[in-house]
Amino acid sequence: MKEHTTNRRNGGCAEVYDMIIENGTIITSNARFKADLGIKNGIISDISTSLKDAPSLSRLESKNYYVLPGAVDVHAHLEREMCDTISADSYETGTRAAACGGTTTVFDFIFQNDTENIIETLNKHNERCKKQASVDYSFNVVFDRITDDLEDDLEALMRYGINHIKLSHSMSQGNIEANAQLLFYAVKDRGFRISVHEENKAIINNLSQKYLEQKKCDAWYYYLSRPEYVEAEADMRLIHWAKHFGGSLYLEHLACRESVDRLTDARIEGYDVIGETCPQYLCFTNEVYKKPDGYKYVCAPPMKGEDSREALWRGINNESISIVASDHCPFQLAEKRKGIDDFSKIPNGCMAIENRYPYLLSEANKGRISFEKAVAVCSTNPARIFGCAPQKGTIAPGSDADLVIYDPQIEFTISAKNMHSNLDYTIWEGIRLKGYPIITISRGKIVYDYGRYTGSSGWGKYIKRQPAERTV
């Protein structure tokens, strides 16, 4: 891509842009057209076909390339403690990897702390993140209990700009149900979305104990301890709760066909139930758990069968599934190998923060979905549903200049060597992509340039979100 500096002075009336992106094909969630983009003070100032002679401090020639909104990843786990270790990516390395994969906004999950209120916990994470983040960021919160301070907590969270609350899987089954009812009632019509980890914990515990007692301990039995119906039953139960308790339900990391079917039914019936899946469920199936290194792929929920994988793609195309997020929570290979002879010791989680947008765009380039659909599920829908549109998730005057320049002709093979996380392996090793992001721009600043990270820690800003609105 050609970049050059323009030294023309402002003649007294014409605006001098900080950057002009010329001759690109702009693709949003609902449009595709040729135009130039003028960027000023980190904001998209103009979209025009007549910026060729406009004064600008720099120019990017993007003929033959696509110009896309930066992706918004609403589901990541950075610096996450689990199984006596911590996930591999810090706020610095996780947001660096995001930038290098075309993601310009990341939401991290913050877990309730026994010794402080949720706002104190958020403030601590925010202090760490603002010093490290390469791209803009926000948070979702996880409750492991409902306290007498719930009303105060909800008011404080909304002031903080947080509109998504998850109930922790660590609760006992009965407590999840009781607390979910309390939470749904408390947040009704207040602009929050609720999620609960969608697997039946009691069944998982029983199956896990059975297989481990039988010395069936490898990754395949991890999958068998959490088969399709374990997820489907939980999703159906949650949908029933949402129907009867009211409120907005967010179904995270959908991985099985039956869950997609029930989600589709609920949305047709007019209930505000939103579906999310992740790229690992779109790319891989449960066959990976039969591999000698199947422990690498252990995540919760696990990848399912081919019929489920195809159902997820259908759900994206028919708009039952609104969002593709990463659920990024990787661990170093040595930590995953601790469970090679006991699946219960494998820390759950896979890497996807750098792979999500490129993989979806590659599948669009191959014809499985449209580019507009890839932009919708990776950028526009997450921003809209989570209350940060139109600042994020689109290309429009007044929106943040969060942009990706995409070369549809590149053949790119994923390897741990060309990724930017703090990891010594990737489950995406050897996956070949058709097309790849060549430049990522965060609020007008180039943070990724032809395979090279050019951002800086502390650049990212906290994004305060608006109350969630109904989607049906």
Side-chain angles (χ1 to χ4, degrees), residues 96-102 354 404-405 412 418-420 436-442 445-455:
R96 178 183 69 197
C100 296
E354 189 169 356
V404 170
I405 312 298
F412 187 93
N418 57 28
M419 294 291 97
H420 297 82
Y436 206 77
I438 54 176
I439 289 180
T440 303
I441 299 170
S442 168
K445 175 183 177 179
I446 296 175
V447 293
Y448 172 77
D449 191 0
Y450 283 86
R452 185 170 60 94
Y453 169 67
T454 58

Side-chain angles (χ1 to χ4, degrees), residues 26-31 33 37 44 47 67-72 104 357 375 379-381 383-384 388-403:
I26 295 173
I27 301 178
T28 67
S29 64
N30 58 9
F33 55 95
L37 292 179
I44 297 171
I47 302 176
V67 183
L68 314 171
V72 179
T104 51
Y357 208 19
V375 169
S379 181
T380 306
N381 290 350
R384 175 178 57 85
C388 56
Q391 179 183 4
K392 305 293 184 183
T394 192
I395 297 177
S399 296
D400 284 355
D402 291 350
L403 302 163

